[in-house]
Amino acid sequence: QVQLRESDPGLVKSSQTLSLTCTVFGVSLTTSAYYWSWIRQPPGKGLEWIGYIGFSGNTYYSPFFESRTSISRDTSKNQFTLQLTSVTPEDTAVYYCALTNGVVVVMPRRLEDFASWGQGTQVTVSS
């Protein structure tokens, strides 16, 4: 059974870099055709796809986030990490890591669009 678990971001202030790590249990990050995404849901809004790192280590980001986003991985720990620079209060949201198999979901409507997802972690950016 695949499980994903997001780290706790702690306190994040405007202009700082948000760093979140997703630890994956039950399957390897390098499993063929698996894509590991970061998504978020701001209060009162729908899901927003941020980007993914694929099974081969390739990355792709939403144009909306591309200029300040980096996703990397540590295969020895079976973790992948999101870094979002220059955060503002508008980056306040619940952040999720999620898995898709064989496809990439860039306009998710609901978490069930993904094969598996974490419980989410609340990120609040203070001004």
Side-chain angles (χ1 to χ4, degrees):
Q1 183 178 1
V2 180
Q3 293 186 356
L4 295 85
R5 186 176 303 159
E6 302 92 349
S7 61
D8 184 345
L11 297 175
V12 185
K13 296 183 179 180
S14 288
S15 81
Q16 290 184 337
T17 295
L18 169 67
S19 183
L20 295 174
T21 295
C22 182
T23 303
V24 179
F25 302 92
V27 69
S28 171
L29 287 180
T30 60
T31 300
S32 182
Y34 277 20
Y35 296 91
W36 305 92
S37 289
W38 285 99
I39 54 179
R40 73 181 192 181
Q41 187 164 27
K45 297 184 178 180
L47 293 175
E48 300 176 345
W49 179 75
I50 300 170
Y52 76 75
I53 186 164
F55 60 99
S56 64
N58 62 305
T59 55
Y60 186 76
Y61 306 116
S62 164
F64 184 75
F65 295 101
E66 184 174 17
S67 65
R68 58 191 188 102
T69 300
S70 176
I71 299 176
S72 59
R73 69 181 185 177
D74 184 339
T75 56
S76 68
K77 296 180 179 179
N78 221 37
Q79 296 175 331
F80 63 106
T81 297
L82 168 71
Q83 289 199 313
L84 185 66
T85 64
S86 304
V87 296
T88 72
E90 291 188 348
D91 291 308
T92 293
V94 178
Y95 286 71
Y96 299 90
C97 54
L99 161 67
T100 52
N101 182 1
V103 296
V104 178
V105 179
V106 299
M107 296 184 66
R109 293 183 174 226
R110 53 181 189 165
L111 289 173
E112 288 79 4
D113 290 343
F114 298 89
S116 186
W117 57 93
Q119 80 281 3
T121 188
Q122 175 68 48
V123 174
T124 302
V125 180
S126 61
S127 57

